[in-house]
Amino acid sequence: MTLTTPFGNYQYEIYLAGLGGVLPQLPMRFDELERRAEAALSPSLVSYIAGGAGDEFTQRINTSAFEQWGLVPRMLRPTAERDLSVELFGMALPSPLLMSPVGIVGLAAQDGHGDIATARAAAITGIPMIASTLSVDPLEAVAAEMGDTPGLFQLYTPTDRDVAASLVNRAEAAGYKAIVVTVDAWIPGWRPRDLSTSNFPQLRGHCLANYFTDPAFLALLDKTPVDDLSAAVAKWAQLFGNMLTWDDLPWLRSLTDLPMIVKGIGNGEDARRVKDAGFDGIFCSNHGGRQANGGRSAIDTLPEVVEAADGLPVLFDSGIRSGADIVKALALGATAVGIGRPYVYGLALAGAEGIVHVLRSLLAETDLIMAVDGYPTLADLQPNALRRNLFAGTHYTPNA
């Protein structure tokens, strides 16, 4: 099943239900969504999901930087019908929205199988899931729940090349349509919230199903993970965190004929080099502010990445909290926009149903902004649709 009606019609469903005395059980605002989800999660999961690097300045500026941009309203345009569809790596998608990979999403569900719930939400909405290497359930089981919705597989490249090749081959065999290689998380960032509770879920054996079911990884063990969990986790710790360099890109590119995207790019020079190395897409992201504090906001880096990509698809995430944010990222050149924390919070509250609510809410706002402000198609959202806001709030100063 894929949502086929105008996305903005979700508001009418809510209003009509209200006529019968049925009020929304899930939050309509992000701040309430975050508050209620954090109350439903364990303190260790809250620290991992909500926390960022250092004093979390980069995480905060990722969201507040959107305030520097304002969409120019253009009235009296024919926007009764909107087209949010996009072609991406041969996939015909109903919208430009994606679910970014979140390595702890499996634990955020009440039944402990959040990867499966996310895949089911993808099947319901038609919004692709980028499945993380760090998963509670094996990548094959996750792919089986996606229905007709295409999925992408995110690769944390292990230091053992045979294990890396095995993970990619499994993803291809399972039907994933592209590989997203994350390059900004080969080592954990300095995360005070997690450090204060000594919280590193993978070192406790969580979210390692893709390794513990991988033949190349299992061949490196004397005993199975079931027989010796501590030894298996220790072996994983040795393999995780390949500090990739430009010299590794030809080998990575050779692993599959699937489209391959490099995630974690935050400047034009790196974007040009990724394109020159023969990759199919660039993912502009700073890992949601979780890896390195003190940097620029992701949305500030997007225009130069798009310019350097010179027509190559540019995916974007880090800081998206609303439909307005999605519209602005698209206007600045993003081909598709990923969300992370918002859908994880929806998952924490109501499983797949909670994710679907968050996705539909974001798409409804996106659709309605385009309708009201005179932008019937994604092609109409160009950089000239945005202007700088003179007063963007007290917590963010453009170009300061």
Side-chain angles (χ1 to χ4, degrees), residues 89 155 168 172 177-179 181 246-262 274-281:
F89 309 123
L155 178 69
V168 171
E172 186 168 3
K177 302 303 183 184
I179 305 296
V181 182
W246 295 107
D247 293 337
D248 293 310
L249 293 193
W251 160 71
L252 270 172
R253 179 61 276 186
S254 73
L255 292 179
T256 180
D257 291 329
L258 289 176
M260 191 170 275
I261 304 103
V262 176
V274 168
K275 181 177 182 179
D276 291 344
F279 284 73
D280 303 280

Side-chain angles (χ1 to χ4, degrees), residues 101 154-157 179-188 240-246 248-249 251-252 260-267 270-271 274 279 281-287 291:
Q154 176 266 344
L155 178 69
Y156 284 123
T157 309
I179 305 296
V180 178
V181 182
T182 296
V183 297
D184 64 349
W186 60 273
I187 189 173
F240 184 81
N242 191 342
M243 189 184 70
L244 297 170
T245 70
W246 295 107
D248 293 310
L249 293 193
W251 160 71
L252 270 172
M260 191 170 275
I261 304 103
V262 176
K263 185 176 189 292
I265 299 302
N267 67 79
D270 286 353
V274 168
F279 284 73
I282 296 164
F283 207 134
C284 178
S285 168
N286 62 19
H287 218 91
Q291 276 298 94

Side-chain angles (χ1 to χ4, degrees), residues 2-164:
T2 299
L3 303 178
T4 55
T5 58
F7 298 119
N9 284 0
Y10 188 37
Q11 68 172 343
Y12 300 129
E13 292 181 29
I14 295 170
Y15 287 138
L16 289 173
L19 295 178
V22 178
L23 300 180
Q25 297 301 301
L26 293 168
M28 302 305 305
R29 291 170 52 95
F30 176 78
D31 54 358
E32 184 185 355
L33 176 73
E34 182 178 44
R35 177 181 58 79
R36 285 178 53 182
E38 290 185 358
L41 293 164
S42 68
S44 61
L45 282 176
V46 171
S47 74
Y48 194 96
I49 296 166
D55 69 358
E56 301 178 354
F57 167 81
T58 298
Q59 181 175 319
R60 292 192 300 275
I61 202 174
N62 271 344
T63 58
S64 63
F66 284 93
E67 296 178 7
Q68 71 180 299
W69 299 105
L71 186 67
V72 177
R74 292 172 174 166
M75 297 296 103
L76 302 175
R77 291 188 172 193
T79 60
E81 296 181 1
R82 281 84 60 198
D83 182 5
L84 275 67
S85 64
V86 64
E87 185 85 13
L88 185 67
F89 309 123
M91 300 178 290
L93 303 177
S95 82
L97 194 59
L98 305 170
M99 286 182 279
S100 288
V102 179
I104 201 69
V105 71
L107 300 180
Q110 295 174 12
D111 67 356
H113 293 279
D115 306 283
I116 297 294
T118 304
R120 290 173 179 167
I124 294 169
T125 61
I127 296 170
M129 169 192 187
I130 307 177
S132 175
T133 301
L134 300 175
S135 175
V136 166
D137 292 286
L139 61 91
E140 293 86 355
V142 175
E145 298 289 341
M146 293 183 185
D148 295 330
T149 301
L152 295 78
F153 179 73
Q154 176 266 344
L155 178 69
Y156 284 123
T157 309
T159 56
D160 187 291
R161 288 193 167 191
D162 289 338
V163 176

Side-chain angles (χ1 to χ4, degrees), residues 363-377:
L363 281 175
E365 185 181 15
T366 301
D367 183 34
L368 292 169
I369 288 172
M370 293 174 65
V372 171
D373 279 349
Y375 298 90
T377 71

Side-chain angles (χ1 to χ4, degrees), residues 218-232:
L218 294 175
L220 302 175
L221 303 178
D222 294 327
K223 296 181 180 180
T224 69
V226 173
D227 294 327
D228 193 341
L229 178 61
S230 61

